[in-house]
Amino acid sequence: MAKAKKMVFFCQNCGYESAKWMGQCPGCREWNTFVEEPVAAKPESRGRAGTAGSSNAKPVALSEISVQRDERVSTEIGELDRVLGGGIVPGSLTLVGGDPGIGKSTLLLQVCRKLSEKGIPVLYISGEESLRQIKLRAVRIGEFTDKMRLLCETSLETIRTVIEREKPEVVVIDSIQTMYSEEVGSAPGSVSQVRESTNVLMQIAKGLGVSVFIVGHVTKDGNVAGPRVLEHMVDTVLYFEGDRHASYRILRGVKNRFGSTNEIGVFEMQAQGLTEVKNPSEFMLDGKPEGASGSVVACSMEGTRPILVEVQALVCHSNFGIPRRTAAGTDFNRVNLLMAVLEKRARINLSASDAYVNIAGGIKMNEPAIDLAIALAVVSSHKDLVIDDGMVVFGEVGLSGEVRAVSMAEQRTLEAKKLGFTSVMLPRVCMKSVEEIKGIRLIPVDNILEAIQQIRSNRSAG
């Protein structure tokens, strides 16, 4: 009589394991996320005390480990190298996630092309597309050298054998949801398979010193399909953001063991693939209307890069008892907080008005430094007051209406000057770091009321 398989329940959101089904996951507190799956067959134990597997284990002193600064391998794509922290680290495991059709496979195929041109052996493994489909996409990108090899396979046991035989330096897995291990009885894409597949790829990356990129599909909630524990297993997590119907894409580092997670890369989708946007500020401000109320240019920092964005606001009388508030590209609760500050500290009645705030271009900015720009955009739309097109605004607004200091004020001011802006409104406490900059007018303010008065005086003077 065949022995029945042992079944357990996994949370699809966070990977929490339970012997019975539960309505709410104790780990992530989400409802109806448990699925039933068979337990993976446990292989024979290896490396226990007293066996040959553990006799070779030897601890190493920290002083004996050498760290080379030139270990990273450049992808020859500057925006990607910026997000990775300077290039690809040998033996690293990187997860690239994003919505379907946003450009994950295209970007990695371009990386493979650049690396193969440098003579680096690359292996592209696809579990979703045929060799002919990949060829058609590759022709659109450009010419590839023989250092770029393709493989259509989903079995991890076969993939491990091929990697050990071919010895590539970089491997791309597209995608992790199509891979399966014969040691796990569940279907490909399930919680158990995704976790086991990532574990096998991590062993390959660390054991052979191979840099592995894995593509992960994103659910409707914006999370990588499968357990969240997958993000803890990899070294780097990169997410593609942006509307698939828009031309630009933003690559953001969510986790990076080898660099900063504050950097972003900006790309534009064109016929030949993804191209780098060297000056995101100029790209984001393209098409900004002139002489329109409710429009303010703000400066936000993404890592070490200042980016100028247009903050738009539309305030109009509400026809219903409860005014409607909407925020796109920034935190909705932050917008409500700033409007409450304007009500209390600036005596501006907004309780009977609908308010719509938008960061133009679809980019998401949650840095507190754009607070002052949001507040002035709301005032500008409410009072139908046009703000100088040549002005850039940045500063954090507190609950008392004070304009607080922000980091890297000098870099923000220099970016505004480089793009031809004539004035900058900033917190007064930041003046010490920017007072040496010539060729641009500095407007320091202490509170939101003073900022509004400065806008009105500039308009009267103009």
Side-chain angles (χ1 to χ4, degrees):
M1 184 176 178
K3 186 178 179 181
K5 290 185 177 180
K6 182 182 177 182
M7 307 295 288
V8 295
F9 294 87
F10 287 99
C11 174
Q12 291 180 303
N13 191 41
C14 67
Y16 187 91
E17 182 178 338
S18 173
K20 63 179 182 179
W21 185 87
M22 289 185 287
Q24 185 182 37
C25 174
C28 61
R29 314 303 297 177
E30 294 292 332
W31 289 91
N32 300 322
T33 57
F34 275 90
V35 293
E36 186 179 18
E37 293 182 2
V39 178
K42 293 184 179 180
E44 296 182 3
S45 59
R46 297 187 296 267
R48 290 184 178 179
T51 63
S54 62
S55 60
N56 296 327
K58 182 181 178 181
V60 180
L62 195 61
S63 59
E64 298 177 9
I65 303 174
S66 62
V67 179
Q68 299 287 339
R69 288 187 176 270
D70 56 352
E71 279 185 350
R72 294 181 183 268
V73 178
S74 174
T75 63
E76 303 301 325
I77 301 177
E79 294 295 302
L80 178 58
D81 285 343
R82 173 192 292 270
V83 181
L84 289 174
I88 303 173
V89 177
S92 61
L93 182 62
T94 303
L95 170 66
V96 181
D99 295 330
I102 202 168
K104 303 183 296 295
S105 301
T106 300
L107 176 63
L108 291 177
L109 203 57
Q110 291 180 231
V111 172
C112 293
R113 176 173 177 263
K114 295 288 187 180
L115 294 176
S116 62
E117 289 178 349
K118 296 171 62 175
I120 298 174
V122 180
L123 178 61
Y124 190 100
I125 302 173
S126 177
E128 298 180 340
E129 298 178 301
S130 65
L131 294 176
R132 178 179 175 81
Q133 289 175 312
I134 300 175
K135 172 68 175 179
L136 291 174
R137 186 151 44 88
V139 169
R140 178 168 53 90
I141 294 175
E143 296 292 333
F144 285 75
T145 67
D146 292 338
K147 288 293 184 178
M148 164 77 170
R149 312 286 288 178
L150 296 176
L151 175 67
C152 290
E153 184 59 60
T154 57
S155 172
L156 283 169
E157 286 73 17
T158 304
I159 291 173
R160 180 193 285 271
T161 302
V162 173
I163 293 176
E164 291 176 348
R165 183 179 69 244
E166 298 291 332
K167 294 181 173 57
E169 292 187 24
V170 178
V171 174
V172 176
I173 305 293
D174 188 8
S175 68
I176 190 63
Q177 279 82 11
T178 61
M179 302 296 148
Y180 74 93
S181 173
E182 296 178 358
E183 295 182 355
V184 181
S186 56
S190 62
V191 178
S192 300
Q193 283 287 5
V194 169
R195 184 164 56 181
E196 180 64 22
S197 300
T198 306
N199 184 48
V200 171
L201 293 172
M202 181 179 64
Q203 294 175 3
I204 294 174
K206 306 304 180 184
L208 302 178
V210 178
S211 301
V212 179
F213 288 84
I214 58 178
V215 175
H217 294 309
V218 170
T219 62
K220 294 180 180 179
D221 297 330
N223 298 319
V224 175
R228 196 172 295 170
V229 69
L230 184 148
E231 297 185 5
H232 298 292
M233 298 172 68
V234 301
D235 298 313
T236 306
V237 180
L238 307 179
Y239 277 109
F240 254 124
E241 298 177 359
D243 188 352
R244 59 178 297 185
H245 302 293
S247 61
Y248 74 92
R249 304 287 188 269
I250 295 176
L251 185 66
R252 190 182 302 273
V254 178
K255 171 188 175 182
N256 192 350
R257 290 175 177 163
F258 311 111
S260 172
T261 57
N262 297 321
E263 300 289 352
I264 66 169
V266 183
F267 299 88
E268 184 178 6
M269 180 63 78
Q270 297 183 352
Q272 68 273 20
L274 290 166
T275 59
E276 301 176 66
V277 177
K278 300 292 186 180
N279 193 338
S281 298
E282 187 176 3
F283 186 81
M284 294 298 174
L285 295 178
D286 188 23
K288 179 183 179 298
E290 296 183 0
S293 63
S295 176
V296 181
V297 178
C299 186
S300 178
M301 295 296 298
E302 289 290 342
T304 58
R305 166 187 283 179
I307 297 181
L308 300 185
V309 294
E310 181 190 359
V311 179
Q312 298 176 331
L314 177 62
V315 180
C316 55
H317 180 72
S318 178
N319 294 321
F320 303 98
I322 302 176
R324 185 177 181 182
R325 307 287 166 80
T326 302
T330 188
D331 185 31
F332 172 75
N333 294 324
R334 191 69 182 175
V335 172
N336 284 335
L337 183 148
L338 292 172
M339 294 183 68
V341 171
L342 290 174
E343 285 254 11
K344 180 71 174 179
R345 307 301 177 185
R347 305 299 181 186
I348 297 177
N349 185 15
L350 300 170
S351 58
S353 301
D354 294 336
Y356 307 89
V357 176
N358 175 48
I359 306 296
I363 191 171
K364 295 180 181 179
M365 292 291 179
N366 291 322
E367 190 193 15
I370 67 172
D371 286 355
L372 185 58
I374 294 175
L376 291 181
V378 170
V379 173
S380 171
S381 178
H382 181 68
K383 300 292 186 182
D384 200 19
L385 184 67
V386 178
I387 296 178
D388 183 12
D389 292 326
M391 178 184 293
V392 173
V393 177
F394 61 86
E396 180 182 356
V397 178
L399 294 181
S400 299
E402 78 279 11
V403 179
R404 307 176 70 91
V406 297
S407 61
M408 301 184 182
E410 183 179 4
Q411 288 88 332
R412 300 174 199 261
T413 306
L414 290 174
E415 179 72 8
K417 179 182 177 182
K418 184 177 70 173
L419 291 181
F421 286 86
T422 57
S423 60
V424 171
M425 181 178 290
L426 72 165
R428 190 177 298 276
V429 292
C430 294
M431 281 297 293
K432 291 183 179 179
S433 59
V434 299
E435 57 187 5
E436 300 296 330
I437 300 177
K438 305 299 182 183
I440 190 168
R441 181 188 173 204
L442 303 176
I443 307 175
V445 293
D446 289 317
N447 51 64
I448 187 66
L449 196 57
E450 184 179 350
I452 296 173
Q453 292 172 352
Q454 288 284 357
I455 294 298
R456 287 173 173 168
S457 62
N458 288 344
R459 181 62 178 171
S460 301

